[in-house]
């Protein structure tokens, strides 16, 4: 990628050297792209390089293997929401997750669209319930796009599509109430909104977050990057306080 000009969602900013930073951003066509920004900690650039902001990014590199230099012009700022504890925690988590697990320069247009819509919802929905379901669905989509999708259309034991209420943590497949009765303490809940067009209650949403959290931790964070999952724990705790 010798050169690229594109809209990008900033996902992470890591200091590099005294004045610069490596910025990882999700782009519509090129997936996650890293670039080095000079003067990233300057008064001008700090408000621009905020995870969840949308920028017009320009990347330049001399060779395919060289880290590109990056310049960024602000298109949409979400800085005002950093003062809101719940919205801030949500923005932090979804951008950190995206930056941590996606391979670089692989196109994920569905993920880009879903992340953009989720960030908009976090900042504009009148209540957290307006975006919490979208958060669960984004995490499920990310698992699926990276090859760890859940099979929730029929029971892994009986093959039936009826009365699906559990998920096997081993096979990531649905299990019916009857087939899972004697193993229910070992199974994950399957909230109905993941398989039916129903409006979930908060208990269902937290069940959904429990499911996605389990599989995200297993596939991406069991042996590394505990700090990323810690950001998710902060978010879930704040959601529970709001509900309480």
């Amino acid at each position: 990628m010798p050169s690229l000009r594109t809209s990008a969602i900033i996902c992470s900013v890591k200091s590099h050297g005294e004045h610069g930073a490596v910025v990882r951003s999700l782009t519509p066509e090129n997936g996650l792209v890293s670039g080095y920004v000079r003067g990233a900690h300057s008064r001008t650039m700090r408000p621009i390089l905020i995870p969840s902001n949308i920028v017009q990014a320009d990347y330049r590199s001399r060779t395919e293997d060289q880290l590109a230099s990056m310049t960024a012009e602000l298109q949409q700022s979400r800085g005002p929401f950093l003062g809101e504890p719940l919205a801030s925690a949500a923005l932090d988590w979804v951008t950190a997750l995206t930056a941590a697990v996606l391979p670089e320069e692989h196109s994920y247009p569905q993920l880009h669209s879903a992340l953009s819509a989720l960030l908009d919802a976090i900042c504009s929905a009148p209540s957290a319930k307006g975006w919490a379901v979208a958060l669960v669905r984004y995490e499920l989509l990310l698992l699926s796009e990276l090859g760890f999708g859940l099979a929730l259309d029929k029971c892994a034991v009986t093959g039936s599509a009826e009365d699906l209420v559990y998920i096997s943590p081993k096979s990531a497949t649905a299990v019916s109430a009857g087939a899972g009765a004697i193993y229910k303490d070992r199974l994950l809940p399957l909230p109905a909104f993941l398989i039916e067009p129903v409006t979930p209650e908060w208990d269902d949403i937290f069940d959904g977050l429990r499911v996605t959290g389990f599989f995200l931790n297993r596939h991406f964070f069991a042996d590394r990057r505990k700090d990323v999952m810690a950001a998710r724990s902060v978010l879930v705790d704040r959601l529970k306080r709001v509900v309480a």
Side-chain angles (χ1 to χ4, degrees), residues 2 28 37 39 41 49 54 69 97 114 116 125 131-135 138-139 160 172 193 200 203 205 216 226:
V37 178
H41 304 296
L49 301 179
I54 299 177
S69 63
L97 170 65
S116 181
W131 54 260
V133 172
L135 170 61
Y138 178 73
E139 293 178 341
S160 171
F193 78 93
D203 286 346
I205 294 171
L216 288 171
K226 297 292 186 181

Side-chain angles (χ1 to χ4, degrees), residues 146-168:
L146 294 180
F148 303 107
L150 280 63
L152 305 178
D153 58 330
K154 61 184 178 180
C155 176
V157 179
T158 67
S160 171
E162 301 298 322
D163 206 17
L164 303 177
V165 297
Y166 302 116
I167 299 173
S168 166

Side-chain angles (χ1 to χ4, degrees), residues 50-224:
I50 294 174
S52 75
N53 277 0
I54 299 177
V55 300
Q56 185 71 27
D58 282 281
Y59 299 91
R60 297 283 186 273
S61 63
R62 294 180 181 177
T63 67
E64 293 285 344
D65 298 328
Q66 182 185 44
L67 177 65
S69 63
M70 174 187 175
T71 58
E73 299 175 10
L74 186 63
Q75 290 187 321
Q76 182 178 354
S77 174
R78 295 192 169 97
F81 297 94
L82 298 185
E84 300 180 14
L86 185 55
S88 176
L91 297 173
D92 284 349
W93 160 244
V94 295
T95 52
L97 170 65
T98 303
V101 303
L102 289 188
E104 293 204 1
E105 296 184 33
H106 286 67
S107 181
Y108 295 102
Q110 274 191 286
L111 275 177
H112 180 274
S113 295
L115 178 59
S116 181
L118 174 57
L119 294 173
D120 285 343
I122 290 169
C123 297
S124 62
S127 70
K129 201 171 184 181
W131 54 260
V133 172
L135 170 61
V136 176
R137 296 196 186 283
Y138 178 73
E139 293 178 341
L140 283 173
L141 176 63
L142 190 148
L143 285 162
S144 178
E145 289 283 288
L146 294 180
F148 303 107
L150 280 63
L152 305 178
D153 58 330
K154 61 184 178 180
C155 176
V157 179
T158 67
S160 171
E162 301 298 322
D163 206 17
L164 303 177
V165 297
Y166 302 116
I167 299 173
S168 166
K170 291 185 178 180
S171 63
T173 54
V175 180
S176 66
I182 60 174
Y183 305 107
K184 63 181 182 180
D185 292 340
R186 305 179 199 173
L187 301 173
L188 295 166
L190 172 50
F193 78 93
L194 295 186
I195 54 175
E196 300 174 13
V198 296
T199 301
E201 300 299 329
W202 272 112
D203 286 346
D204 303 313
I205 294 171
F206 285 120
D207 280 345
L209 288 168
R210 178 183 169 194
V211 169
T212 53
F214 175 87
F215 289 106
L216 288 171
N217 189 63
R218 168 192 279 180
H219 295 303
F220 304 121
F221 302 111
D223 299 318
R224 65 184 183 94

